[in-house]
Amino acid sequence: MRPLAFLAGLLLCLLSLSTVQAQPVQSQPSGLVAFGPQRTERIEAELVPMSQWVAPGSTTVVAVRQKIAPGWHTYWRNPGDSGGATSLVWTLPDGVTADPILWPLPSRQRLMSLMNYGYSGEVMLPVPIHVPASARPGEVLTLTTDVLFLVCSDQMCVPEPLTLSLALPVREGAAPLAKPWGAEIERLVETAPRPAGIEARVTVEAGKLVLTATGGLLSSNQSGADIGQVYFYPFDGGRIDHAAAQPATRGSNGVSVTLTPGREAASSPLSGVLATDKGAWEITAQPGPPLAGAQGQGALAPLDEATSTPAKTGVLVFLQALGLALLGGLVLNLMPCVFPVLAMKAASLSAAAHDPARARRDGLAFTAGVLVSFLVLAGALLALRAAGQAIGWGFQLQSPGVVAALALVMLLVGLNLSGVFHVGAGMQNAGSGPLSRLPGAAGAFFTGVLAVVVAAPCTAPFMAAALGAALVLPWPMALAVFLMLGLGLALPYLAISLSPGLLSRLPRPGVWMERLKGLLAFPMYGAALWLLWVFTRQGGVDALGLLLAAALLLAFAAWLLGLAQAARQRDERPVLATICATIAGVMAIGLAGVAAGAARDADAAPQGESGPLAAQPWSVEAVAQATAAGRPVLVNLTADWCVTCKINERAALSSPRVAKAMTQAKAAYLVGDWTRRDDAITRELQAHGRSGVPLYLLYRPGQAEPEILPQLLTEGVVIDALTD
């Protein structure tokens, strides 16, 4: 989870600078110039000095001061089980260098089964600054750092990039402490964990890591006997189970702490901070046998936890996400992009209406197909985000190759339902696609797979909050949320398949089923045409021509396959038809691959105006410019493959009444097109706790945070928002 939240934050940093409110430059009597704190909704930060000036050839300390909003926190160098450490990128005058952060001891922040290390309230991160001997008295050294904070609550994380500056005058002689923060920075530097002549070993015993540390300030003749509490903070994530208990004992010359191993190899040196109630020190434990004098004189208590989030609160957040996911999955059945799936469900229900055993089997298999597919998609999404990819829900349709493949699959489904060719039991499985026409439970399972592939790009009410929470939860909990979403999608079909009374009301099989099968082919053809349109928007008309040729070859192969099937029923051997069908199918697949490659290399179709609203491309800078000019801004983050987005644009955003309200409000209309992958839009979605489109934002001048409009828009909703 930690890589997931942190790497997404790194990608967001360059686009969020417009949310910062710069404060006036502040001059001090010593000539020191502070540029003032930078603020967002969740954190205030500034660069503050320890001393009033710096001398040539000296080392001074500056600190990144954070004032974190209640309920939020930032992270230590090892954030623990989730989150990301604060990072600094310095811009310094020639010859001036900055050391790494002198990290103060963090607090432990427990959330359910997780343990994070970080800071809340007000905290300073000291950084030693080395001034060259060539610095001339009288000059001013301007220090600038680009800081990326990952600011989290128990429900979400928001990357906050800020640029902080400080001007330090150069003078001869020792400098007094700067007010008001110099004394506090000096105290932090003096008490910061550092090496202290402590020898340490780490030993694997009975599946545990036994950390023994002796000597230095731990020995009994240097007050080590007075140590009553101890805790070990590792520098690197994955070395230990952060949330596990750390039982410890005291010896005559040191301490011993028992740790639970993490996912990383236990045979390498283990570095971190050994914190006690008498002080904290950096240690590096080499693999080897336990050190003598570290055990045998009684147990030690764990160091008091300064900050923790009650487990009950975390459980409630998780349960809330599960409930919203289930409700969102249920509502997803009513979203426009799922209409082709409803056709498949209807035909499957009609085929098994008067066979309760088969209906139960198919219902369970369909549900399994839906859940497995959601699990695979969610696993891929979480893995790619953990690897640093800026993607969101529906990411698969941002790939022209996936869109091309789905268009051809939908074409095959339609041809199958139209009777051009048959797979498996023919009419008995009249409601599914080529894979889902397999006999028995396999057919129902693949119907569920195809349902998820088609429905996944949609987002319904309640889904956004659930998916947003899932993407900041640990991966086991995130997968549970996605599985609950799949259960909501499959639940109506499952409930009907397990209800003999409802099934008995359907007509018995007959000629009407064959007609229904032919009728249901047309939603499949419509879905194929829609996907072709999306593909055109992604790759242009040249790539479309190649894909249409592939579709023609695939239809020809399906027709030849139907001829071969009919010949076999007449006890003939259709060798030529089979060979030609195979060749045509292979050529179709190859040509589809060429079309996908051409689409990837092509420029995206420009975002045009939609109806009477004159749209401009969305960017963070465009929003900032419009609001700075005193104009409200309506932002529409959309995609051509999002059917809900297109319906909203036709029903609400293309309305003359909305256009009139926009004109009267002097509002700007900005459209962000997510049809193809766009990392900037992905980061904007994440910043508002969303993982997919549509997202509608209304910015008002003088307000840092926008109003988030409903996912299902009406004229009235937009007009009311503009006139409030």
Side-chain angles (χ1 to χ4, degrees):
M1 182 62 207
R2 176 178 52 129
L4 183 157
F6 179 54
L7 293 175
L10 287 175
L11 293 172
L12 187 72
C13 67
L14 297 177
L15 297 175
S16 301
L17 297 176
S18 62
T19 63
V20 178
Q21 300 175 5
Q23 301 301 309
V25 173
Q26 301 171 356
S27 298
Q28 300 187 14
S30 62
L32 183 71
V33 178
F35 284 79
Q38 309 292 298
R39 295 187 178 92
T40 71
E41 183 182 357
R42 289 159 285 271
I43 189 170
E44 173 187 301
E46 62 180 327
L47 200 58
V48 296
M50 185 177 75
S51 56
Q52 292 186 12
W53 65 78
V54 294
S58 67
T59 297
T60 188
V61 178
V62 300
V64 176
R65 175 181 166 270
Q66 309 169 50
K67 185 176 181 181
I68 307 164
W72 297 83
H73 57 266
T74 58
Y75 292 95
W76 189 54
R77 58 182 294 176
N78 171 17
D81 290 321
S82 65
T86 298
S87 64
L88 307 179
V89 178
W90 289 94
T91 301
L92 302 171
D94 291 341
V96 178
T97 59
D99 282 352
I101 297 171
L102 296 175
W103 294 93
L105 199 65
S107 61
R108 281 168 279 160
Q109 299 157 344
R110 186 178 294 274
L111 176 63
M112 293 177 286
S113 62
L114 305 180
M115 176 69 78
N116 294 331
Y117 303 141
Y119 310 102
S120 57
E122 191 167 316
V123 66
M124 284 189 279
L125 304 181
V127 178
I129 300 293
H130 303 284
V131 179
S134 59
R136 298 188 306 273
E139 71 174 314
V140 175
L141 303 177
T142 300
L143 316 179
T144 300
T145 183
D146 293 320
V147 190
L148 176 62
F149 302 101
L150 187 64
V151 189
C152 296
S153 68
D154 59 355
Q155 299 187 43
M156 66 181 298
C157 291
V158 180
E160 299 281 18
L162 300 175
T163 298
L164 310 178
S165 295
L166 175 68
L168 285 175
V170 179
R171 294 186 182 182
E172 296 286 359
L177 294 177
K179 296 181 180 180
W181 310 112
E184 175 65 14
I185 296 174
E186 185 178 53
R187 184 192 67 80
L188 287 173
V189 172
E190 292 174 350
T191 59
R194 64 192 66 206
I198 296 173
E199 185 180 6
R201 294 285 186 274
V202 59
T203 310
V204 180
E205 292 184 0
K208 297 288 187 178
L209 298 180
V210 178
L211 174 67
T212 52
T214 61
L217 296 175
L218 293 176
S219 61
S220 58
N221 61 358
Q222 296 194 44
S223 77
D226 296 332
I227 292 176
Q229 299 176 328
V230 67
Y231 189 88
F232 178 70
Y233 296 90
F235 284 156
D236 300 315
R239 296 301 309 276
I240 70 170
D241 182 347
H242 303 102
Q246 296 186 8
T249 60
R250 181 177 61 244
S252 60
N253 196 37
V255 297
S256 173
V257 183
T258 301
L259 308 170
T260 301
R263 62 181 181 275
E264 302 292 339
S267 59
S268 57
L270 180 62
S271 298
V273 173
L274 187 66
T276 73
D277 52 345
K278 301 301 180 182
W281 306 281
E282 291 185 2
I283 62 171
T284 296
Q286 300 293 335
L291 295 171
Q295 299 172 326
Q297 293 191 358
L300 294 172
L303 194 67
D304 291 335
E305 293 187 26
T307 304
S308 64
T309 300
K312 182 177 180 182
T313 301
V315 170
L316 289 177
V317 171
F318 177 52
L319 293 178
Q320 181 185 38
L322 289 179
L324 289 173
L326 179 63
L327 192 56
L330 288 169
V331 178
L332 187 59
N333 285 278
L334 305 177
M335 302 304 288
C337 56
V338 193
F339 288 166
V341 180
L342 296 180
M344 290 187 287
K345 290 182 180 181
S348 297
L349 282 172
S350 65
H354 297 278
D355 187 347
R358 178 186 165 194
R360 286 193 298 271
R361 179 201 66 194
D362 289 354
L364 293 172
F366 174 83
T367 303
V370 169
L371 295 180
V372 169
S373 301
F374 263 100
L375 191 64
V376 170
L377 278 176
L381 173 63
L382 295 175
L384 289 172
R385 287 169 62 95
Q389 301 294 312
I391 59 175
W393 191 242
F395 70 96
Q396 66 274 16
L397 286 192
Q398 292 177 332
S399 166
V402 173
V403 174
L406 283 178
L408 296 182
V409 167
M410 290 299 168
L411 175 62
L412 283 178
V413 172
L415 294 173
N416 185 242
L417 292 173
S418 295
V420 174
F421 72 102
H422 301 282
V423 179
M427 202 166 134
Q428 291 180 346
N429 288 319
S432 308
L435 285 175
S436 59
R437 291 287 303 278
L438 294 173
F445 179 88
F446 282 108
T447 301
V449 172
L450 191 57
V452 172
V453 171
V454 175
C458 276
T459 54
F462 310 107
M463 273 183 64
L467 292 177
L471 295 180
V472 297
L473 286 171
W475 69 265
M477 299 179 186
L479 291 181
V481 173
F482 282 107
L483 287 176
M484 191 62 71
L485 181 62
L487 180 61
L489 177 63
L491 195 56
Y493 180 90
L494 179 64
I496 294 175
S497 67
L498 297 177
S499 304
L502 293 176
L503 290 171
S504 64
R505 297 184 181 182
L506 294 175
R508 292 191 173 276
V511 177
W512 70 271
M513 287 185 62
E514 188 68 24
R515 293 175 179 170
L516 176 63
K517 181 181 73 168
L519 177 64
L520 294 178
F522 289 95
M524 302 298 107
Y525 295 138
L529 289 174
W530 164 61
L531 289 165
L532 286 174
W533 176 72
V534 172
F535 184 83
T536 306
R537 299 280 292 175
Q538 292 176 328
V541 294
D542 292 338
L544 174 65
L546 292 171
L547 185 57
L548 288 175
L552 180 62
L553 282 172
L554 190 63
F556 180 58
W559 177 73
L560 289 173
L561 179 60
L563 292 181
Q565 291 173 334
R568 290 191 188 97
Q569 291 179 353
R570 299 191 300 268
D571 294 328
E572 298 176 3
R573 299 182 63 185
V575 178
L576 181 60
T578 302
I579 293 175
C580 291
T582 302
I583 294 174
V586 171
M587 290 177 63
I589 294 173
L591 198 55
V594 174
R600 282 192 297 270
D601 296 336
D603 293 331
Q607 180 72 38
E609 298 182 4
S610 177
L613 288 186
Q616 298 297 324
W618 169 87
S619 68
V620 173
E621 293 77 12
V623 173
Q625 290 173 2
T627 53
R631 301 179 64 192
V633 181
L634 177 61
V635 174
N636 173 15
L637 301 184
T638 181
D640 287 336
W641 40 258
C642 171
V643 180
T644 306
C645 303
K646 296 298 140 186
I647 289 179
N648 283 337
E649 289 165 13
R650 297 293 184 268
L653 298 178
S654 295
S655 160
R657 292 180 58 214
V658 171
K660 181 179 179 181
M662 292 281 290
T663 301
Q664 291 175 343
K666 298 181 180 179
Y669 179 47
L670 304 181
V671 176
D673 189 356
W674 209 44
T675 302
R676 297 180 69 171
R677 176 173 167 173
D678 187 314
D679 292 350
I681 295 177
T682 303
R683 292 190 289 267
E684 184 71 6
L685 291 168
Q686 294 168 353
H688 297 287
R690 299 296 177 89
S691 64
V693 292
L695 176 62
Y696 305 104
L697 305 172
L698 181 62
Y699 290 85
R700 295 183 175 89
Q703 296 183 12
E705 295 298 318
E707 177 185 353
I708 299 178
L709 302 184
Q711 287 181 295
L712 296 179
L713 291 181
T714 63
E715 283 185 353
V717 167
V718 179
I719 293 172
D720 289 345
L722 289 169
T723 55
D724 281 348

